[in-house]
Every structure is written in C-alpha cells, then in structure tokens.
Amino acid sequence: MRLGNLSSVVPEWLASYAGIILLVGILVNLSAGFVQSTHSLTIPSMRDDLGISYTKAGLLITVAGAVRMGSAFSAGTLAPRYGSRYMIGIGTIVTGLSMLLLGIAPNFAVALVATAIMGLGSGFSLTPMIGMVAPWFALKNRGMVAGLNAAGGSIAIVVAGLVVPPLVSSNVEAGWRHTWFIFGVLVVVIGLVSLVFLRDRPVDPSRLAASGRPRNSRGVWPLAVYKNPLVWMLAYLGFCSGVSTGVFNTFFGSFLNEDQGVSLATTGQLFLLVGILSIVCGILWGNISDRLDRSKAFGLSFLIQGIGLALFWLSPAMAAFILGSILIGLTMRAAFALCAAASGDYVQAQFASAAFALVSVGAGLGSTLSPIMSGAIADNFDISLVFALGFGASMFGVFGALFLRKPASSPQPD
C-alpha cells in the first residue's frame, strides 16, 4: 500500500503502511512515557496531598514497575501466538483509565491500585508495539526506527515539563490530579487510534517472504528466544538502564525542588530540557548503532549517562545540574531504543516481541527496585546519594556492553 507519490521524496518504508505503523508506535510510546516520567514532577505535591513519605512514593513506582514487568513478559510471549493489535489497543486504553483513577485517588491505597493498573496496561501495550519493528522494517533501518519510536516517550517528558508545573502552581493541592486527568483522556484516545490503524504484519506476500516470516507463524510459542544468551545480555543491559533512569525519573524533581531549593518553574525547565534532548537521543543512538554496532552504542551511551548522574551526586550546583541534565537528556532513551532495535537482531522477526519481553523483564526489574531502594536512601541518608546508585548502574552497563556481538545478517524486508 503506497501513500501517493511520497516514496519519491521520503524513504520507501515511510511511504508505505509501515509509516503508519511507525506513527502509531510513536503515540503508544508517548502513552508509556507519561507513565514513566510524569511521576517525577507530580510526586512532591502528591506527597503533600496524600501525606506519604519518600519511601511510600517510591513504593508507588516500584509496584507499577513490578506489574509492568510481568505484563510485558506475558504480552511478549502471547503476541507471536495471538497477534499484537488488540493487546496494544486495549492495554493503552486500560493505561488511560488508570490515570483517571489516580487523578481521583483519595488515599495511598487507591493510588497504589491505580499505579499498579497503569503498569499492567503500559506493559501489555508497549512490548508488542516494539516487537512490530522487526517484521515491518529491515535490519539496516531498525536502529533508526526504534529511535523514532522512542522519541514518543521523550515527547512525553517535554509535554510533562510544559504542562505539570503550571497546573501544580495554579492549584497546589489538586494540580497533580488535573495532570493525570488530562493525560488519561489523551491516552484513551491513543488506544482507540491503535485499534483502528494497527496491523500485525505486512500483507504483501513478498514482504513476508523477504522477512523470513512463515505464513503459519501464528500459534508458535517462542521458547527458543529464552535460550539465547545474547537476549539475556540485552536483559542485563535493560536492568542497568532501568535502575539509572528509574532513579532519575523518580527523584529528579524532589531533589532539585525540596532538597536544593530550586524553584518548581526552574525544575520544570530543566526537565523540559531533558525531554527535548531525549527526543533526538533515541534517533541519534539508533542511527549510531546502525552505522557502527549495538555494543559500541550501548557502552558510550551508558558512560555519558553515568557522568551526568555523577554531576547531580557530586556537584550540587546549578551549573552541574544544567550540564548533568544535558548529558542525561542525550542518553535518557538510548538504552530503550537500542534494546528495541537489538531485540529483533538475534531472533526471527516474528519473535522480536518475545525477545523484547525478556529485555523488559530486566528493565522492569531495574525500574522496580531502584525507586524503593533510592526512596529508602533518601529517607535514611541523603537524597543526593540516590544518584550514586544510578551512576553505579550506568558503569555496570558500560561493562556489559562489551559482551554484545554484531548480529548475523539475515534477509529482511526492504
């Protein structure tokens, strides 16, 4: 299916239905991005409104991460057998409805249930969406496409940086609730769009043949994926990323606003800076991995991110906060984009969802453990030490990247 004469001025894959798949993928990533990044700016006012500690605030994110980890693994395992379209659409709608529930939460218990459902829906939608990259796009383009998909999550950071501070400033008690109402409605709409426009795989028989995807690939369980050591290494790298970004997303706002006395407006501007840079971050690192290899891209991105986190930890000054935000922004979505691209490198295309599901378990474990661990560190020691935890995780990521190898070339769709 060609979209007019666009193929003469844009890449062939963008001028085909794959371009629509990419656009919907960006929107689904936007939805998941709201889940993962908005808490950083809403937790300070949520803590005051609900009367909860840093540890309980971290527990909210931890529970959401734990549930998301399980749902992502389940979705990735089921997608090759039953298809992805309805999983993505229904999961996104459930995510939006849980945001609305969080917005009306009268106490910690309801907020905990809402964030758990949020993790369930986002995990069930995002993993199959990432898995669609492999059957729809060629190996030589997957890094770039994964980076474009990841830009959706980065746009969520930008939107949160623009929307949340004014909402909270205009209504200190209820502004954080209004944030979740607005994002919840938007995410429900994205879920409906996904149901209408997504397709599980190309309908052109020549594309299916080129991708090596058997016509009867539905109904197959991806057990071989879980025996592949390179997929497990990607899961390890996802774990490192989950810890480092989990620390930043959870306590960036609280550290600057409550501990360092930086105004909420300035904090929001720095968060916006991170978001703007992270939009190009995934595309940048995806392109680097296409031109060089995944290993070098992983190692360099983890190194730069670690330096950024160390600046927050060791140099509590505005200049360091700005430089650290720039470095983190340039790497925030790097591991996500690289894991998404690499998930289809070492397995058959139809099993990319299952590979990314296992990677998501690693990332989910990291993002599940880091908020509660860093919350306890903040309550019992010094909140700046949470960034030391993120720095250590980044350095372990640099080490793990050394063990990845280039994937063997295989016929893929043009």
Side-chain angles (χ1 to χ4, degrees), residues 25 28-29 32 36 88 121-131 336 356:
V28 172
N29 274 269
Q36 297 172 4
I88 295 168
S122 61
F124 216 73
S125 59
L126 184 60
T127 302
M129 188 70 250
I130 295 303
F336 176 87
F356 189 74

Side-chain angles (χ1 to χ4, degrees), residues 8-30:
S8 61
V9 294
V10 298
E12 182 181 358
W13 53 264
L14 189 58
S16 69
Y17 204 84
I20 295 177
I21 299 297
L22 173 60
L23 179 59
V24 177
I26 292 172
L27 293 175
V28 172
N29 274 269
L30 174 70

Side-chain angles (χ1 to χ4, degrees), residues 78-399:
L78 294 172
R81 188 175 181 88
Y82 299 110
S84 301
R85 176 185 178 187
Y86 292 106
M87 289 184 186
I88 295 168
I90 293 172
T92 304
I93 292 172
V94 168
T95 302
L97 294 176
S98 67
M99 291 178 176
L100 299 178
L101 177 60
L102 181 58
I104 63 173
N107 52 47
F108 174 73
V110 176
L112 188 63
V113 171
T115 53
I117 298 173
M118 204 180 296
L120 175 69
S122 61
F124 216 73
S125 59
L126 184 60
T127 302
M129 188 70 250
I130 295 303
M132 281 194 172
V133 170
W136 279 94
F137 299 95
L139 176 62
K140 64 182 180 181
N141 297 320
R142 283 183 196 159
M144 175 67 74
V145 172
L148 289 167
N149 265 318
S154 303
I155 294 171
I157 299 176
V158 175
V159 173
L162 289 172
V163 170
V164 179
L167 284 175
V168 173
S169 298
S170 63
N171 192 327
V172 177
E173 292 185 356
W176 70 273
R177 298 182 183 274
H178 298 161
T179 297
W180 290 112
F181 290 149
I182 293 171
F183 290 167
V185 171
L186 177 59
V187 171
V188 169
V189 172
I190 291 173
L192 295 174
V193 170
S194 301
L195 288 174
V196 172
F197 290 103
L198 283 181
R199 301 291 181 269
D200 283 314
R201 57 195 183 279
V203 297
D204 184 348
S206 64
R207 289 180 62 89
L208 291 174
S211 67
R213 183 188 184 102
R215 293 174 184 267
N216 62 347
S217 61
R218 284 282 190 92
V220 177
W221 291 111
L223 298 179
V225 171
Y226 309 128
K227 300 178 182 179
N228 189 323
L230 291 174
V231 176
W232 282 97
M233 179 53 65
L234 290 176
Y236 166 82
L237 294 173
F239 173 81
C240 295
S241 176
V243 172
S244 58
T245 58
V247 166
F248 181 82
N249 285 333
T250 304
F251 287 105
F252 171 79
S254 294
F255 172 69
L256 291 182
N257 184 236
E258 298 178 346
D259 186 75
Q260 296 296 310
V262 179
S263 69
L264 186 60
T266 301
T267 300
Q269 289 171 352
L270 287 175
F271 199 71
L272 180 62
L273 173 63
V274 172
I276 291 174
L277 292 174
S278 67
I279 291 176
V280 301
C281 152
I283 303 171
L284 170 67
W285 291 105
N287 192 37
I288 288 173
S289 74
D290 284 340
R291 294 177 180 273
L292 300 177
D293 62 59
R294 312 290 189 221
S295 175
K296 292 184 178 65
F298 267 118
L300 186 57
S301 64
F302 272 121
L303 177 61
I304 294 173
Q305 185 176 85
I307 294 172
L309 290 165
L311 287 172
F312 278 85
W313 167 32
L314 299 173
S315 303
M318 183 54 68
F321 298 154
I322 294 173
L323 179 58
S325 296
I326 291 172
L327 296 179
I328 292 170
L330 288 172
T331 55
M332 172 64 72
R333 305 291 288 176
F336 176 87
L338 294 172
C339 285
S343 292
D345 287 352
Y346 305 117
V347 299
Q348 296 181 46
Q350 68 266 30
F351 295 142
S353 292
F356 189 74
L358 187 57
V359 174
S360 295
V361 170
L365 186 60
S367 61
T368 297
L369 294 176
S370 63
I372 190 67
M373 290 171 59
S374 53
I377 291 171
D379 280 332
N380 295 289
F381 298 98
D382 190 298
I383 192 173
S384 66
L385 292 177
V386 303
F387 297 103
L389 176 63
F391 169 78
S394 295
M395 294 304 100
F396 276 106
V398 173
F399 175 74

